[in-house]
Amino acid sequence: MKLSLIVPCYNEQDNVENFYKTVCSVFADGGFDYEIIFVNDGSKDETYKRLKSIYKNDSEKVRVVNFSRNFGKESAIYAGLKESCGEYVSIIDADLQQNPKYVLQMMDMLDNDEDLDCVAAYQKDRKESKSLVFFKNTFYKLINKMAEVDFVSGASDFRTFRRSVADSLIEMKEYFRFSKGLFSWVGFNTEYIPYEVEERASGTSKWSFWKLFKYAVDGIIAFTTTPLRIATAVGGITAVLSIIYLIVVVIQKLAFSITIPGYATIVVLILLLGGIQLCSLGIIGEYLARVYIQSKDRPIYIAKNVLRPDDKADK
Ligand code: UDP
Ligand code: MG
Protein backbone atom coordinates (compact mmCIF):
# COMPACT_ATOMS: atom_id res chain seq x y z
CA MET A 1 0.00 0.00 0.00
CA LYS A 2 1.48 3.31 -1.08
CA LEU A 3 -0.75 5.85 0.69
CA SER A 4 -3.13 5.90 3.65
CA LEU A 5 -5.41 8.91 3.76
CA ILE A 6 -6.72 9.69 7.26
CA VAL A 7 -9.97 11.65 7.29
CA PRO A 8 -11.46 12.70 10.67
CA CYS A 9 -15.20 13.31 10.31
CA TYR A 10 -17.52 14.97 12.78
CA ASN A 11 -20.99 15.84 11.50
CA GLU A 12 -19.91 15.85 7.85
CA GLN A 13 -22.93 14.09 6.33
CA ASP A 14 -23.06 16.40 3.32
CA ASN A 15 -19.33 16.31 2.69
CA VAL A 16 -18.14 12.71 2.94
CA GLU A 17 -19.55 11.51 -0.40
CA ASN A 18 -18.23 14.56 -2.22
CA PHE A 19 -14.90 14.12 -0.52
CA TYR A 20 -14.72 10.46 -1.54
CA LYS A 21 -15.59 11.27 -5.18
CA THR A 22 -13.06 14.12 -5.30
CA VAL A 23 -10.28 11.91 -3.94
CA CYS A 24 -11.10 9.13 -6.42
CA SER A 25 -11.04 11.51 -9.37
CA VAL A 26 -7.85 13.32 -8.28
CA PHE A 27 -6.02 10.05 -7.62
CA ALA A 28 -7.45 8.27 -10.68
CA ASP A 29 -4.37 8.83 -12.87
CA GLY A 30 -1.89 8.51 -10.03
CA GLY A 31 -1.28 4.83 -10.65
CA PHE A 32 -0.65 4.03 -7.02
CA ASP A 33 -2.39 1.99 -4.38
CA TYR A 34 -4.20 3.94 -1.67
CA GLU A 35 -6.70 3.54 1.15
CA ILE A 36 -9.07 6.09 2.66
CA ILE A 37 -9.52 5.75 6.42
CA PHE A 38 -12.59 7.66 7.54
CA VAL A 39 -12.83 8.12 11.29
CA ASN A 40 -16.37 8.89 12.39
CA ASP A 41 -15.79 10.93 15.53
CA GLY A 42 -19.17 10.32 17.18
CA SER A 43 -21.13 12.34 14.61
CA LYS A 44 -24.70 13.10 15.57
CA ASP A 45 -25.95 13.32 12.00
CA GLU A 46 -26.01 10.75 9.20
CA THR A 47 -22.25 10.71 8.63
CA TYR A 48 -21.80 7.09 9.68
CA LYS A 49 -24.69 5.92 7.49
CA ARG A 50 -23.15 7.63 4.47
CA LEU A 51 -19.68 6.28 5.30
CA LYS A 52 -21.15 2.78 5.54
CA SER A 53 -22.64 3.06 2.08
CA ILE A 54 -19.32 4.39 0.68
CA TYR A 55 -17.61 1.40 2.28
CA LYS A 56 -20.14 -1.04 0.82
CA ASN A 57 -19.52 0.31 -2.68
CA ASP A 58 -15.75 0.34 -2.39
CA SER A 59 -14.63 -1.99 0.38
CA GLU A 60 -11.24 -2.43 -1.32
CA LYS A 61 -10.09 1.12 -0.65
CA VAL A 62 -12.24 2.36 2.19
CA ARG A 63 -12.01 1.75 5.92
CA VAL A 64 -14.26 3.27 8.56
CA VAL A 65 -13.42 3.55 12.24
CA ASN A 66 -16.59 4.33 14.15
CA PHE A 67 -16.06 5.99 17.56
CA SER A 68 -18.43 5.33 20.45
CA ARG A 69 -18.72 9.11 21.05
CA ASN A 70 -17.01 12.36 20.08
CA PHE A 71 -13.39 12.14 21.21
CA GLY A 72 -12.06 15.10 19.20
CA LYS A 73 -10.02 15.47 16.03
CA GLU A 74 -6.73 14.61 17.72
CA SER A 75 -8.07 11.23 18.88
CA ALA A 76 -9.50 10.64 15.40
CA ILE A 77 -6.06 11.27 13.89
CA TYR A 78 -4.52 8.81 16.35
CA ALA A 79 -7.09 6.14 15.48
CA GLY A 80 -6.41 6.73 11.79
CA LEU A 81 -2.67 6.37 12.31
CA LYS A 82 -3.17 3.07 14.11
CA GLU A 83 -5.42 1.78 11.36
CA SER A 84 -3.12 2.89 8.52
CA CYS A 85 -0.70 0.59 6.75
CA GLY A 86 0.52 2.76 3.86
CA GLU A 87 4.13 3.58 3.10
CA TYR A 88 3.02 7.21 3.16
CA VAL A 89 0.35 8.57 5.48
CA SER A 90 -1.63 11.74 4.89
CA ILE A 91 -4.01 13.65 7.16
CA ILE A 92 -6.75 15.65 5.48
CA ASP A 93 -10.07 17.24 6.51
CA ALA A 94 -13.40 15.90 5.25
CA ASP A 95 -14.85 19.32 4.42
CA LEU A 96 -12.92 19.74 1.14
CA GLN A 97 -11.15 22.86 2.42
CA GLN A 98 -7.94 21.03 1.63
CA ASN A 99 -7.75 19.91 -1.97
CA PRO A 100 -6.40 16.33 -2.33
CA LYS A 101 -4.30 17.52 -5.31
CA TYR A 102 -1.80 18.84 -2.76
CA VAL A 103 -1.37 15.28 -1.47
CA LEU A 104 -0.01 14.33 -4.90
CA GLN A 105 2.44 17.24 -4.70
CA MET A 106 3.53 16.13 -1.21
CA MET A 107 4.00 12.54 -2.37
CA ASP A 108 6.06 13.73 -5.33
CA MET A 109 8.36 15.62 -2.97
CA LEU A 110 8.77 12.54 -0.76
CA ASP A 111 9.38 10.34 -3.82
CA ASN A 112 12.09 12.67 -5.12
CA ASP A 113 13.98 13.19 -1.88
CA GLU A 114 14.66 10.15 0.24
CA ASP A 115 16.00 12.31 3.08
CA LEU A 116 12.71 14.14 3.39
CA ASP A 117 10.29 12.56 5.89
CA CYS A 118 7.33 14.89 6.08
CA VAL A 119 5.69 17.57 3.95
CA ALA A 120 3.29 19.90 5.75
CA ALA A 121 1.00 22.49 4.20
CA TYR A 122 0.47 25.95 5.54
CA GLN A 123 -2.30 28.35 4.58
CA LYS A 124 -1.18 30.97 2.08
CA ASP A 125 -3.90 33.47 2.85
CA ARG A 126 -5.79 32.86 6.02
CA LYS A 127 -9.48 33.35 5.38
CA GLU A 128 -10.12 34.19 9.01
CA SER A 129 -11.07 37.30 10.90
CA LYS A 130 -8.25 39.72 11.78
CA SER A 131 -8.75 39.21 15.52
CA LEU A 132 -8.48 35.42 15.17
CA VAL A 133 -5.29 35.74 13.10
CA PHE A 134 -3.93 38.08 15.79
CA PHE A 135 -4.69 35.58 18.58
CA LYS A 136 -3.21 32.70 16.59
CA ASN A 137 -0.02 34.65 15.86
CA THR A 138 0.28 35.66 19.53
CA PHE A 139 -0.14 32.01 20.52
CA TYR A 140 2.68 30.92 18.20
CA LYS A 141 4.98 33.68 19.46
CA LEU A 142 4.26 32.71 23.06
CA ILE A 143 4.65 28.96 22.68
CA ASN A 144 7.82 29.33 20.60
CA LYS A 145 9.38 31.45 23.34
CA MET A 146 8.50 28.87 25.99
CA ALA A 147 8.79 25.46 24.34
CA GLU A 148 11.94 23.62 23.31
CA VAL A 149 10.53 22.49 20.00
CA ASP A 150 9.59 24.84 17.16
CA PHE A 151 5.98 25.49 16.22
CA VAL A 152 5.58 26.77 12.68
CA SER A 153 2.93 29.49 12.54
CA GLY A 154 0.02 28.52 10.31
CA ALA A 155 1.24 24.97 9.62
CA SER A 156 -1.78 22.71 9.70
CA ASP A 157 -2.42 19.03 10.31
CA PHE A 158 -2.69 18.74 6.54
CA ARG A 159 0.48 16.81 5.84
CA THR A 160 1.96 13.69 4.29
CA PHE A 161 4.71 11.71 5.94
CA ARG A 162 6.57 8.44 5.85
CA ARG A 163 5.70 5.30 7.82
CA SER A 164 8.56 5.96 10.25
CA VAL A 165 6.97 9.28 11.30
CA ALA A 166 3.55 7.61 11.70
CA ASP A 167 5.06 4.86 13.87
CA SER A 168 6.75 7.44 16.10
CA LEU A 169 3.47 9.32 16.51
CA ILE A 170 1.66 6.10 17.44
CA GLU A 171 4.26 5.50 20.14
CA MET A 172 3.32 8.80 21.80
CA LYS A 173 0.39 7.67 23.88
CA GLU A 174 -0.39 10.89 25.69
CA TYR A 175 -4.03 11.64 26.36
CA PHE A 176 -3.88 15.40 25.69
CA ARG A 177 -2.74 15.35 22.09
CA PHE A 178 -1.59 18.46 20.29
CA SER A 179 -0.59 17.34 16.80
CA LYS A 180 1.44 20.38 15.85
CA GLY A 181 3.60 19.85 18.92
CA LEU A 182 3.81 16.09 18.48
CA PHE A 183 5.02 16.55 14.90
CA SER A 184 7.72 18.96 16.06
CA TRP A 185 8.64 16.77 19.00
CA VAL A 186 9.24 13.59 16.98
CA GLY A 187 11.54 15.58 14.71
CA PHE A 188 12.31 14.26 11.17
CA ASN A 189 13.03 16.40 8.14
CA THR A 190 9.99 18.47 7.33
CA GLU A 191 9.31 20.83 4.45
CA TYR A 192 6.45 23.29 4.26
CA ILE A 193 4.43 24.09 1.17
CA PRO A 194 1.79 26.81 0.83
CA TYR A 195 -1.77 25.82 -0.03
CA GLU A 196 -4.91 27.67 -0.88
CA VAL A 197 -7.70 27.00 1.63
CA GLU A 198 -11.04 26.52 0.01
CA GLU A 199 -14.40 27.43 1.45
CA ARG A 200 -16.00 24.74 3.57
CA ALA A 201 -18.13 22.66 1.15
CA SER A 202 -20.98 22.28 3.63
CA GLY A 203 -21.71 22.64 7.36
CA THR A 204 -19.82 24.87 9.79
CA SER A 205 -16.41 24.83 11.45
CA LYS A 206 -16.36 22.89 14.75
CA TRP A 207 -13.96 25.39 16.27
CA SER A 208 -15.44 28.13 18.38
CA PHE A 209 -13.13 30.76 19.86
CA TRP A 210 -13.46 29.16 23.30
CA LYS A 211 -12.60 25.67 21.95
CA LEU A 212 -9.54 27.14 20.21
CA PHE A 213 -8.49 28.89 23.41
CA LYS A 214 -8.72 25.65 25.40
CA TYR A 215 -6.78 23.85 22.66
CA ALA A 216 -4.06 26.53 22.84
CA VAL A 217 -3.80 26.13 26.63
CA ASP A 218 -3.56 22.35 26.18
CA GLY A 219 -0.75 22.91 23.69
CA ILE A 220 1.21 25.16 26.04
CA ILE A 221 0.80 22.83 29.02
CA ALA A 222 1.65 19.74 26.97
CA PHE A 223 4.92 21.15 25.65
CA THR A 224 6.37 23.45 28.27
CA THR A 225 6.61 23.86 32.01
CA THR A 226 7.46 27.58 31.67
CA PRO A 227 4.15 28.73 33.27
CA LEU A 228 5.25 26.94 36.47
CA ARG A 229 8.56 28.79 36.36
CA ILE A 230 6.74 32.08 35.80
CA ALA A 231 4.70 31.35 38.95
CA THR A 232 7.92 30.72 40.88
CA ALA A 233 9.49 33.91 39.50
CA VAL A 234 6.45 36.05 40.34
CA GLY A 235 6.45 34.52 43.85
CA GLY A 236 10.16 35.29 44.24
CA ILE A 237 9.82 38.89 43.03
CA THR A 238 6.86 39.44 45.37
CA ALA A 239 8.86 38.05 48.30
CA VAL A 240 11.83 40.36 47.58
CA LEU A 241 9.54 43.40 47.24
CA SER A 242 7.82 42.43 50.51
CA ILE A 243 11.16 42.31 52.35
CA ILE A 244 12.12 45.75 50.99
CA TYR A 245 8.76 47.14 52.05
CA LEU A 246 9.11 45.48 55.45
CA ILE A 247 12.43 47.32 56.00
CA VAL A 248 10.82 50.61 54.96
CA VAL A 249 7.96 50.08 57.43
CA VAL A 250 10.33 49.18 60.29
CA ILE A 251 12.49 52.28 59.64
CA GLN A 252 9.40 54.48 59.45
CA LYS A 253 8.14 53.06 62.72
CA LEU A 254 11.46 53.29 64.62
CA ALA A 255 13.00 56.49 63.23
CA PHE A 256 9.99 58.64 62.67
CA SER A 257 7.52 56.82 64.86
CA ILE A 258 4.82 57.70 62.40
CA THR A 259 1.65 55.79 62.94
CA ILE A 260 0.37 55.16 59.46
CA PRO A 261 -3.27 54.23 59.14
CA GLY A 262 -2.29 51.98 56.22
CA TYR A 263 -5.79 50.78 55.40
CA ALA A 264 -5.43 51.11 51.64
CA THR A 265 -1.97 49.52 51.66
CA ILE A 266 -3.22 46.49 53.57
CA VAL A 267 -6.26 45.97 51.38
CA VAL A 268 -4.22 46.27 48.16
CA LEU A 269 -1.54 43.92 49.45
CA ILE A 270 -4.01 41.28 50.61
CA LEU A 271 -5.82 41.35 47.27
CA LEU A 272 -2.60 41.36 45.25
CA LEU A 273 -0.99 38.52 47.16
CA GLY A 274 -4.24 36.52 47.20
CA GLY A 275 -4.53 36.97 43.44
CA ILE A 276 -0.96 35.88 42.79
CA GLN A 277 -1.38 32.84 45.04
CA LEU A 278 -4.65 31.73 43.45
CA CYS A 279 -3.17 32.24 39.97
CA SER A 280 -0.14 30.11 40.82
CA LEU A 281 -2.35 27.43 42.35
CA GLY A 282 -4.42 27.44 39.18
CA ILE A 283 -1.32 26.91 37.03
CA ILE A 284 -0.16 24.04 39.24
CA GLY A 285 -3.71 22.68 39.14
CA GLU A 286 -3.72 22.65 35.33
CA TYR A 287 -0.60 20.48 35.27
CA LEU A 288 -1.81 18.29 38.12
CA ALA A 289 -5.16 17.71 36.44
CA ARG A 290 -3.37 16.41 33.37
CA VAL A 291 -1.15 14.16 35.45
CA TYR A 292 -4.29 12.86 37.16
CA ILE A 293 -6.12 12.14 33.93
CA GLN A 294 -3.07 10.59 32.26
CA SER A 295 -2.43 8.41 35.33
CA LYS A 296 -5.82 6.75 34.85
CA ASP A 297 -4.38 5.38 31.61
CA ARG A 298 -7.68 5.51 29.79
CA PRO A 299 -7.65 4.76 26.07
CA ILE A 300 -7.34 7.75 23.72
CA TYR A 301 -10.51 6.65 21.92
CA ILE A 302 -13.00 3.80 21.90
CA ALA A 303 -14.02 2.40 18.55
CA LYS A 304 -17.49 0.90 18.52
CA ASN A 305 -16.66 -0.95 15.34
CA VAL A 306 -14.31 -0.82 12.38
CA LEU A 307 -15.19 -1.55 8.76
CA ARG A 308 -12.10 -2.98 7.10
CA PRO A 309 -11.51 -4.44 3.63
CA ASP A 310 -10.92 -7.89 5.13
CA ASP A 311 -13.93 -7.62 7.39
CA LYS A 312 -16.96 -7.37 5.18
CA ALA A 313 -19.52 -8.29 7.82
CA ASP A 314 -22.16 -5.61 8.06
CA LYS A 315 -21.74 -4.14 11.50
N1 UDP B 1 -13.36 17.06 13.41
C1 UDP B 1 -13.38 15.88 14.14
N2 UDP B 1 -13.77 15.93 15.45
C2 UDP B 1 -14.10 17.09 16.10
C3 UDP B 1 -14.04 18.28 15.34
C4 UDP B 1 -13.65 18.24 14.01
O1 UDP B 1 -13.09 14.81 13.61
O2 UDP B 1 -14.44 17.05 17.27
C5 UDP B 1 -12.96 17.02 11.99
C6 UDP B 1 -13.96 17.68 11.03
O3 UDP B 1 -14.98 16.79 10.63
C7 UDP B 1 -13.07 18.08 9.86
C8 UDP B 1 -11.74 18.39 10.54
O4 UDP B 1 -11.78 17.75 11.82
O5 UDP B 1 -12.89 17.02 8.93
C9 UDP B 1 -11.51 19.88 10.69
O6 UDP B 1 -12.59 20.46 11.38
P1 UDP B 1 -13.19 21.89 10.98
O7 UDP B 1 -13.41 21.96 9.52
O8 UDP B 1 -14.35 22.13 11.87
O9 UDP B 1 -11.99 22.84 11.40
P2 UDP B 1 -11.42 24.10 10.61
O10 UDP B 1 -11.25 23.70 9.18
O11 UDP B 1 -12.44 25.17 10.78
O12 UDP B 1 -10.13 24.40 11.29
MG1 MG C 1 -12.51 22.87 7.95
Side-chain angles (χ1 to χ4, degrees):
M1 180 75 60
K2 177 88 172 171
L3 175 75
S4 299
L5 210 57
I6 299 174
V7 196
C9 310
Y10 178 53
N11 295 347
E12 303 283 5
Q13 60 176 17
D14 297 325
N15 289 327
V16 284
E17 269 153 11
N18 263 342
F19 175 86
Y20 168 73
K21 283 185 194 141
T22 311
V23 169
C24 288
S25 70
V26 172
F27 288 180
D29 305 325
F32 59 86
D33 229 10
Y34 66 93
E35 59 177 4
I36 309 176
I37 304 168
F38 288 103
V39 183
N40 176 36
D41 186 10
S43 301
K44 292 181 182 70
D45 60 2
E46 299 222 319
T47 303
Y48 181 60
K49 229 169 145 185
R50 309 250 164 117
L51 289 177
K52 223 154 95 173
S53 84
I54 295 174
Y55 169 77
K56 276 190 188 151
N57 286 330
D58 188 359
S59 56
E60 295 279 301
K61 283 207 292 285
V62 176
R63 290 175 183 226
V64 182
V65 181
N66 188 26
F67 279 7
S68 59
R69 65 166 171 88
N70 178 249
F71 281 89
K73 186 184 178 187
E74 296 287 345
S75 305
I77 292 175
Y78 186 73
L81 286 171
K82 284 189 86 167
E83 196 59 33
S84 68
C85 57
E87 189 190 325
Y88 295 158
V89 180
S90 200
I91 301 170
I92 186 167
D93 289 353
D95 55 12
L96 287 167
Q97 282 194 286
Q98 303 163 338
N99 195 320
K101 72 178 185 200
Y102 291 106
V103 175
L104 295 178
Q105 190 188 338
M106 293 173 181
M107 284 175 69
D108 256 0
M109 289 170 71
L110 289 171
D111 279 340
N112 293 328
D113 183 356
E114 60 175 26
D115 293 327
L116 188 62
D117 303 299
C118 177
V119 183
Y122 67 88
Q123 299 181 18
K124 215 160 44 179
D125 304 304
R126 280 202 182 151
K127 288 177 184 155
E128 290 165 335
S129 70
K130 279 201 173 122
S131 55
L132 193 60
V133 171
F134 169 78
F135 280 115
K136 284 191 175 176
N137 286 340
T138 313
F139 165 73
Y140 280 110
K141 268 187 207 145
L142 231 128
I143 199 163
N144 274 322
K145 277 227 165 74
M146 295 196 283
E148 281 168 27
V149 289
D150 268 349
F151 290 76
V152 177
S153 175
S156 58
D157 299 329
F158 183 27
R159 46 181 87 209
T160 305
F161 42 89
R162 289 186 198 278
R163 186 78 244 158
S164 48
V165 181
D167 289 339
S168 312
L169 290 168
I170 292 171
E171 266 181 52
M172 306 192 71
K173 297 191 172 64
E174 55 209 81
Y175 190 79
F176 290 94
R177 305 185 72 77
F178 187 72
S179 284
K180 291 178 182 75
L182 295 177
F183 275 112
S184 304
W185 197 91
V186 295
F188 294 97
N189 288 335
T190 305
E191 262 186 36
Y192 297 88
I193 57 163
Y195 83 103
E196 197 104 34
V197 196
E198 281 162 44
E199 289 295 328
R200 205 170 213 289
S202 170
T204 51
S205 169
K206 315 297 180 303
W207 293 97
S208 60
F209 181 78
W210 181 236
K211 241 180 149 180
L212 270 178
F213 180 76
K214 275 186 11 199
Y215 185 61
V217 171
D218 276 344
I220 290 175
I221 290 182
F223 283 93
T224 164
T225 50
T226 309
L228 287 174
R229 291 210 191 114
I230 294 175
T232 315
V234 172
I237 293 168
T238 317
V240 170
L241 291 178
S242 308
I243 291 170
I244 295 172
Y245 189 55
L246 183 141
I247 296 169
V248 172
V249 171
V250 169
I251 293 174
Q252 276 180 333
K253 182 83 185 159
L254 293 180
F256 309 107
S257 61
I258 302 168
T259 42
I260 307 158
Y263 170 75
T265 320
I266 290 171
V267 169
V268 168
L269 280 181
I270 289 176
L271 291 179
L272 182 74
L273 291 178
I276 292 174
Q277 280 168 2
L278 285 179
C279 229
S280 309
L281 268 181
I283 294 173
I284 299 169
E286 288 288 333
Y287 283 91
L288 197 63
R290 281 158 181 78
V291 174
Y292 170 62
I293 289 169
Q294 186 73 45
S295 72
K296 294 188 199 186
D297 211 14
R298 287 181 179 162
I300 294 166
Y301 66 92
I302 292 174
K304 203 162 124 189
N305 59 295
V306 183
L307 308 177
R308 290 194 185 90
D310 49 63
D311 175 16
K312 292 193 178 160
D314 190 7
K315 285 184 183 172

